[in-house]
């Protein structure tokens, strides 16, 4: 195989969609846990941030495996793209404007750190 694969937007998009699919599944699981354990809002928020971290780590790992060179850079790009789409969807639905700057930075840092870590260990 080519040690320096060309950028394949199709593969990158599939990885992003897979990350979002993992996010959806984990959010449903979190909703069930919140319902059963009657968690408060701060615990739920921490769970959502953790889900973003896990989903981005998985996306960064897959991206790093696909690209094989400059994995950290591609992982960061994967996390930035994940966060950008998440932010755009939040803004489009009207829920993004309720985020405070601290929450926004926490989510962005989670996305970037998770994807970079995933790419690093790939």
């Amino acid at each position: 195989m080519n040690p320096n694969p060309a950028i394949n937007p199709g593969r990158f998009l599939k990885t992003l969609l897979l990350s979002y699919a993992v996010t959806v599944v984990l959010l449903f699981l979190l909703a069930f846990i919140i319902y059963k354990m009657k968690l408060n809002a701060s615990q739920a928020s921490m769970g959502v941030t953790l889900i973003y971290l896990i989903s981005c780590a998985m996306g960064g790992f897959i991206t790093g495996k696909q690209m094989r060179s400059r994995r950290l850079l591609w992982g960061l790009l994967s996390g930035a793209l994940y966060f950008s789409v998440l932010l755009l969807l939040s803004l489009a639905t009207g829920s993004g404007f309720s985020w405070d700057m601290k929450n926004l930075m926490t989510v962005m840092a989670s996305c970037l750190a998770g994807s970079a870590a995933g790419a690093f260990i790939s």
Side-chain angles (χ1 to χ4, degrees), residues 8-22:
N8 185 338
R11 259 198 279 174
F12 210 72
L13 182 62
K14 286 179 186 176
T15 302
L16 184 64
L17 291 175
L18 183 62
S19 294
Y20 278 111
V22 168

Side-chain angles (χ1 to χ4, degrees), residues 1-71:
M1 287 190 122
N2 184 3
N4 239 344
I7 300 170
N8 185 338
R11 259 198 279 174
F12 210 72
L13 182 62
K14 286 179 186 176
T15 302
L16 184 64
L17 291 175
L18 183 62
S19 294
Y20 278 111
V22 168
T23 301
V24 168
V25 170
L26 291 177
L27 285 174
F28 276 121
L29 181 62
L30 179 63
F32 179 74
I33 291 169
I34 289 170
Y35 173 73
K36 286 294 189 184
M37 298 180 71
K38 298 180 181 12
L39 301 177
N40 62 34
S42 67
Q43 291 168 324
S45 178
M46 187 172 28
V48 170
T49 302
L50 184 62
I51 287 171
Y52 292 152
L53 183 80
I54 292 168
S55 298
C56 287
M58 188 222 45
F61 181 83
I62 293 171
T63 301
K65 282 287 188 190
Q66 289 175 348
M67 299 316 252
R68 289 176 291 190
S69 67
R70 297 185 182 165
R71 294 180 311 209

Side-chain angles (χ1 to χ4, degrees), residues 67-84:
M67 299 316 252
R68 289 176 291 190
S69 67
R70 297 185 182 165
R71 294 180 311 209
L72 190 60
L73 176 66
W74 289 112
L76 284 171
L77 181 62
S78 172
L81 189 57
Y82 180 97
F83 175 75
S84 298

Side-chain angles (χ1 to χ4, degrees), residues 60-121:
F61 181 83
I62 293 171
T63 301
K65 282 287 188 190
Q66 289 175 348
M67 299 316 252
R68 289 176 291 190
S69 67
R70 297 185 182 165
R71 294 180 311 209
L72 190 60
L73 176 66
W74 289 112
L76 284 171
L77 181 62
S78 172
L81 189 57
Y82 180 97
F83 175 75
S84 298
V85 171
L86 183 68
L87 183 62
L88 288 173
L89 289 174
S90 296
L91 291 172
T93 61
S95 61
F97 291 111
S98 65
W99 287 8
D100 61 350
M101 191 55 71
K102 180 183 174 190
N103 188 22
L104 189 68
M105 291 297 125
T106 301
V107 171
M108 183 177 69
S110 296
C111 291
L112 293 175
S115 61
F120 184 76
I121 62 172

